[in-house]
Amino acid sequence: MTTADVPEAPRTLPDGRPVPLMTGDERAMLESWLAFHRATLEQRCAGLDDAQLRLAPAEPSTLTLLGLVQHVAEVERNWFQRVFGGLDVPPLFEEETGYALDPERGLDEVLEFWRREVARGRELCAGRSLDDTGRIPDGPMAGCEVSLRWVLLHLIEEYARHNGHADILRERIDGVTGA
């Protein structure tokens, strides 16, 4: 066995986020990138109070860090449960995008919703091939078949885009910049 045959050991950044695999099989690399982006969004919310998490500092936008976490919880639910799993599950929040804030729901509760969706998505994907498919149930692409590979790539893209938003929001709130 050569060193090229030995899987890369998991590593973390100084802030605790997992470093995505740089070598390995496709599935492991996709899952490690998704784990990195999930951890990045959570890290961008760390250490802020409720008012800061609800602050939309880039006018005229109403985008907030708390709204972003709610949104990705809805995204996780949609793509893993509705599309890939074929389940008929209701939205988590009052409006389907998840951005609207409820004054009674804070970060701890939203993170709980989000973590449940992440765990449920992992359950639905366990043991499934990247080539296994689901169908988009509604919207402009209703009926289209998508592979688990496509769903994982889409979620990585979704988180990466929103992590850019989260970086801007966080820097505007308290000057903290992310890497």
Side-chain angles (χ1 to χ4, degrees):
M1 179 182 278
T2 69
T3 56
D5 297 325
V6 177
E8 187 178 328
R11 296 178 298 172
T12 57
L13 294 170
D15 62 16
R17 291 178 297 151
V19 174
L21 295 176
M22 295 176 195
T23 61
D25 73 17
E26 181 182 19
R27 174 79 176 256
M29 290 182 81
L30 290 171
E31 289 176 345
S32 75
W33 271 103
L34 185 51
F36 169 78
H37 281 295
R38 285 170 173 155
T40 297
L41 184 57
E42 187 171 6
Q43 188 267 345
R44 294 302 180 262
C45 296
L48 296 177
D49 64 31
D50 190 65
Q52 290 171 313
L53 291 163
R54 294 171 185 278
L55 186 61
E59 292 182 7
S61 174
T62 59
L63 188 64
T64 67
L65 286 169
L66 188 59
L68 279 175
V69 177
Q70 289 182 169
H71 173 69
V72 295
E74 288 289 3
V75 166
E76 294 265 358
R77 175 171 273 219
N78 183 60
W79 288 103
F80 290 120
Q81 292 194 54
R82 290 187 189 109
V83 174
F84 189 67
L87 303 173
D88 183 18
V89 293
L92 289 167
F93 305 104
E94 294 72 34
E95 52 93 24
E96 291 184 28
T97 65
Y99 290 118
L101 302 181
D102 178 334
E104 301 299 315
R105 189 173 37 243
L107 183 63
D108 290 341
E109 185 177 359
V110 170
L111 285 174
E112 186 178 317
F113 283 126
W114 173 68
R115 288 182 184 124
R116 273 198 317 259
E117 293 307 314
V118 168
R120 183 67 176 127
R122 286 183 178 136
E123 288 171 14
L124 289 168
C125 296
R128 304 287 300 275
S129 164
L130 290 175
D131 295 321
D132 286 350
T133 61
R135 285 205 184 275
I136 298 174
D138 49 28
M141 298 191 318
C144 290
E145 188 175 54
V146 294
S147 68
L148 176 57
R149 177 182 291 104
W150 189 94
V151 171
L152 290 171
L153 285 166
H154 177 66
L155 266 284
I156 291 165
E157 175 274 329
E158 180 92 11
Y159 273 95
R161 182 166 25 98
H162 289 314
N163 282 338
H165 299 140
D167 286 341
I168 292 166
L169 291 169
R170 181 64 191 249
E171 184 175 10
R172 186 81 173 157
I173 290 167
D174 66 359
V176 171
T177 58

